[in-house]
Amino acid sequence: MPYHRYRPAHERVPLPAIDRTWPDKRIESAPLWVPVDLRDGNQALAEPMDPARKRKMFDLFVAMGFKEIEVGYPSASQTDFDFVRHLAEADAVPDDVTPVVFTAARADLIERTFASIEGLPRAVVHLYTATAPTWREVVLGRDRAELHALIMEAAAHVGRLASRCPGVRMEFSPETFMLTEPDYALEVCDSLTRLWEASPDRPVIHNLPVTVEIATPNVYADQIEYMHRHLADRDAVILSVHPHNDRGTGVACAELALLAGAQRVEGCLFGNGERTGNVDLVTLALNLHAQGVDPRIDFSDIDEIRRVVEHCNRLPVHERHPYAGDLVYTAFSGTHQDAIAKGMAHHARRAAELGVPEREAPWDVPYLPIDPADVGRDYAAVIRVNSQSGKGGVSYLLRTEYGVDLPRRLQIEFSQVVQRFTDDSGTEVTAAQLWDLFRAEYLDRADEGPVVPVEWRTVHSGPERHDFTGVLRVDGVEDEYTGTGNGPLDALTDALAKAGIKVDVLQYVEQATQQGADANAVAYVECRVDGVVRWGAGLSTSLLTASVRALLSAVNRAR
């Protein structure tokens, strides 16, 4: 690999000398979130959104609780201009929501932008210019002073137009901030704070983007803390960040920037954006949720949010996407499944001890950083079984889906049956398939095998005495057999002994699969049959019938 062609970050941009304090900080409240899907995300789509999709996404943002929403780049396309006009003319913007419009530093584009927001009671006009050396030299052909003058001229034009619109505030982005000399970024931002006469009741937004990610997140945090400490009139400035994800650390950049003093984050739902994407607001906000911090955005129906975004972007959300992917709350690994199953049981017990619903009890379940129910997921897909799974996952699915709680040693035995099935198929096995396997391997075996009951009855004939009488087909030959014992199963084993089958009951477990008088009972019996140890299971509305069928299941499985 020709690694020698590339320079590390500290050789590309001077890093600020700073006695950093951000490593000792904690994020204790949510920032102001600004979704930029309708502009930055939209311009990264192979098929940009049509007006209907734009409106659908805008309405989603409002429903989720976003208070600032970037709605377009109205000077860049007629579609964007028309959409902003639609929001204004249809009175579609709630009183507590501020739309943001984006413009380059050119007079005609600025005027077009202000024309688009006419009639909106509130808006933020977002002015941007690239400021990094490579962009100044290669793209813009201006030195520091010349570019600063261009920015001031454009900003003055924004200020003049905004003076006629009391509800308009201003935002500036020194695009490519991460690659810009810190002193130059500070100089430009401070000059705009003064020019726009920012004040605490009408603050300016300085948005410092990681337009192209070129360094580790700690470098960005240092840059943000430098600006946070040195910006003039700091109480009149909202410090905003806009990370991209070129190095795959956009979320980390945003989180460390918040530690370093940022107050506002621009990003996209699920991280859509140019190249590797914008910072992912879903992950950022739910990371706060998982730390006990109110994200102030409603993600309680994450699947509906995902469906809307997928529809509008015409892009899928990956199955492993944090918090929202189809598989992120799913365990296939046997050890993980066992831990989750035990954790869920412990959570239920703890909630009962506290006297609160499970949804309100403190969450501490292995491998699940948040309760899937918080984002509208049920527990049906938490554990799924394939060839990597073990007894814990198998037993969890049977218990939660069918009310069948297998004894531990039966879990071990049945997991081997499932393992053979998944190894042969090479695919995942569903809860329904597990039940079919269990039924075929255990429940149906009472009627299939060397010993088949034709008819039978038991009688409680005295203190601790039961009599079994039945017609059994043993190895194809029907005959009547009787037996006596201290219980129905003991009497049945005595009858089987007379048929030449020696059975010792090693363990017996019974349970109801659900509540109510008409509930099924399930019985599990571990037996030694002519020296071979096997489990059997029986299911019936009658516990006695379930017990007899379980013992015959074990006998047939052993023989």
Side-chain angles (χ1 to χ4, degrees):
M1 298 296 293
Y3 64 91
H4 57 278
R5 300 176 59 207
Y6 304 96
R7 291 179 295 156
H10 66 273
E11 292 182 9
R12 299 182 66 183
V13 60
L15 304 181
I18 184 171
D19 180 18
R20 62 183 63 84
T21 63
W22 61 260
D24 296 324
K25 301 290 180 61
R26 291 187 178 90
I27 303 174
E28 297 178 335
S29 61
L32 175 61
W33 306 111
V34 184
V36 297
D37 301 71
L38 293 171
R39 192 275 304 175
D40 204 352
N42 187 54
Q43 69 189 35
L45 297 174
E47 297 180 69
M49 289 180 241
D50 55 35
R53 283 179 165 82
K54 280 179 171 284
R55 179 60 192 268
K56 190 175 185 69
M57 185 167 278
F58 177 82
D59 290 344
L60 172 68
F61 293 149
V62 171
M64 293 174 69
F66 288 104
K67 301 306 179 188
E68 278 189 21
I69 302 170
E70 190 175 71
V71 294
Y73 193 163
S75 64
S77 76
Q78 188 65 43
T79 300
D80 272 25
F81 184 91
D82 290 344
F83 179 68
V84 179
R85 293 307 307 144
H86 160 73
L87 294 178
E89 293 165 0
D91 195 23
V93 182
D95 292 341
D96 61 346
V97 172
T98 300
V100 181
V101 286
F102 192 74
T103 180
R106 215 174 76 193
D108 58 329
L109 303 182
I110 292 168
E111 291 165 8
R112 177 78 166 162
T113 301
F114 272 87
S116 74
I117 61 173
E118 185 177 345
L120 284 172
R122 296 161 310 284
V124 171
V125 174
H126 182 177
L127 178 73
Y128 81 96
T129 303
T131 54
T134 300
W135 276 255
R136 293 197 307 259
E137 296 162 11
V138 175
V139 181
L140 302 173
R142 297 173 186 262
D143 62 20
R144 285 174 52 145
E146 291 169 335
L147 182 61
H148 194 171
L150 180 150
I151 293 170
M152 292 297 288
E153 181 181 352
H157 196 38
V158 170
R160 285 191 294 272
L161 296 174
S163 67
R164 308 169 195 166
C165 310
V168 170
R169 293 186 292 116
M170 282 78 80
E171 175 178 357
F172 174 67
S173 283
E175 194 192 4
T176 64
F177 165 78
M178 188 180 228
L179 278 159
T180 299
E181 307 92 329
D183 67 305
Y184 184 57
L186 183 65
E187 175 189 338
V188 172
C189 288
D190 281 348
S191 65
L192 295 191
T193 302
R194 292 189 297 270
L195 175 68
W196 285 335
E197 298 179 341
S199 63
D201 59 346
R202 197 185 184 205
V204 65
I205 301 166
H206 285 312
N207 184 58
L208 308 177
V210 182
T211 309
V212 181
E213 200 179 27
I214 58 98
T216 50
N218 61 295
V219 171
Y220 187 50
D222 283 349
Q223 292 172 318
I224 295 300
E225 184 164 358
Y226 172 83
M227 297 292 286
H228 169 56
R229 287 199 199 175
H230 293 92
L231 280 167
D233 301 312
R234 184 64 184 86
D235 61 347
V237 173
I238 296 173
L239 182 53
S240 177
V241 294
H242 181 116
H244 280 249
N245 198 44
D246 298 87
R247 301 179 80 252
T249 55
V251 167
C253 274
E255 290 182 322
L256 297 194
L258 291 174
L259 296 176
Q263 301 155 287
R264 179 179 182 269
V265 178
E266 296 183 353
C268 290
L269 294 184
F270 306 111
N272 176 51
E274 292 172 299
R275 303 179 310 280
T276 57
N278 287 54
V279 71
D280 177 359
L281 295 186
V282 173
T283 301
L284 274 172
L286 288 174
N287 280 354
L288 292 186
H289 174 75
Q291 295 294 311
V293 176
D294 182 1
R296 301 177 67 182
I297 298 294
D298 184 2
F299 293 98
S300 60
D301 191 352
I302 196 70
D303 290 330
E304 176 61 18
I305 294 168
R306 188 191 66 205
R307 282 190 288 269
V308 171
V309 174
E310 288 179 329
H311 167 76
C312 294
N313 288 342
R314 299 181 178 95
L315 289 175
V317 172
H318 196 278
E319 291 179 333
R320 296 293 182 190
H321 187 285
Y323 300 109
D326 283 336
L327 297 177
V328 296
Y329 304 105
T330 299
F332 290 103
S333 161
T335 54
H336 290 205
Q337 291 174 342
D338 184 60
I340 290 171
K342 290 175 179 175
M344 296 290 282
H346 176 267
H347 178 72
R349 289 194 300 271
R350 189 178 184 191
E353 291 167 0
L354 294 172
V356 299
E358 290 183 31
R359 283 295 311 277
E360 296 179 17
W363 182 257
D364 191 14
V365 174
Y367 298 111
L368 294 177
I370 69 169
D371 184 347
D374 290 352
V375 290
R377 294 280 179 88
D378 58 29
Y379 300 120
V382 167
I383 290 178
R384 290 163 60 178
V385 173
N386 63 12
S387 61
Q388 303 300 306
S389 307
K391 65 183 187 302
V394 171
S395 61
Y396 176 86
L397 286 181
L398 288 179
R399 182 174 65 254
T400 56
E401 295 295 316
Y402 296 98
V404 173
D405 193 3
L406 305 185
R408 178 174 173 77
R409 288 205 295 272
L410 178 53
Q411 292 177 25
I412 296 170
E413 186 181 279
F414 182 52
S415 69
Q416 296 169 354
V417 175
V418 177
Q419 184 75 45
R420 288 193 295 271
F421 177 84
T422 54
D423 282 343
D424 290 343
S425 68
T427 61
E428 177 187 351
V429 55
T430 66
Q433 289 173 312
L434 276 179
W435 179 246
D436 289 342
L437 280 174
F438 182 76
R439 179 180 290 280
E441 184 66 27
Y442 293 94
L443 301 178
D444 293 347
R445 297 297 283 277
D447 301 311
E448 300 171 357
V451 181
V452 177
V454 178
E455 58 182 50
W456 60 271
R457 68 183 183 277
T458 64
V459 177
H460 186 197
S461 56
E464 298 185 359
R465 177 186 171 95
H466 285 74
D467 297 324
F468 175 91
T469 303
V471 175
L472 304 177
R473 185 182 303 116
V474 179
D475 296 329
V477 178
E478 285 187 15
D479 205 346
E480 183 176 273
Y481 296 93
T482 62
T484 301
N486 58 17
L489 291 189
D490 196 33
L492 174 56
T493 60
D494 184 49
L496 289 171
K498 293 172 181 176
I501 303 170
K502 179 174 174 51
V503 180
D504 296 314
V505 175
L506 306 178
Q507 185 175 353
Y508 172 78
V509 179
E510 62 187 42
Q511 66 163 121
T513 58
Q514 60 194 53
Q515 295 182 341
D518 58 347
N520 279 324
V522 61
Y524 312 99
V525 182
E526 185 183 28
C527 297
R528 182 183 294 110
V529 182
D530 295 332
V532 177
V533 177
R534 289 290 184 274
W535 280 88
L539 181 70
S540 175
T541 54
S542 161
L543 181 57
L544 172 61
T545 301
S547 303
V548 169
R549 290 183 63 80
L551 190 143
L552 292 173
S553 165
V555 168
N556 283 330
R557 293 189 68 248
R559 300 188 85 224

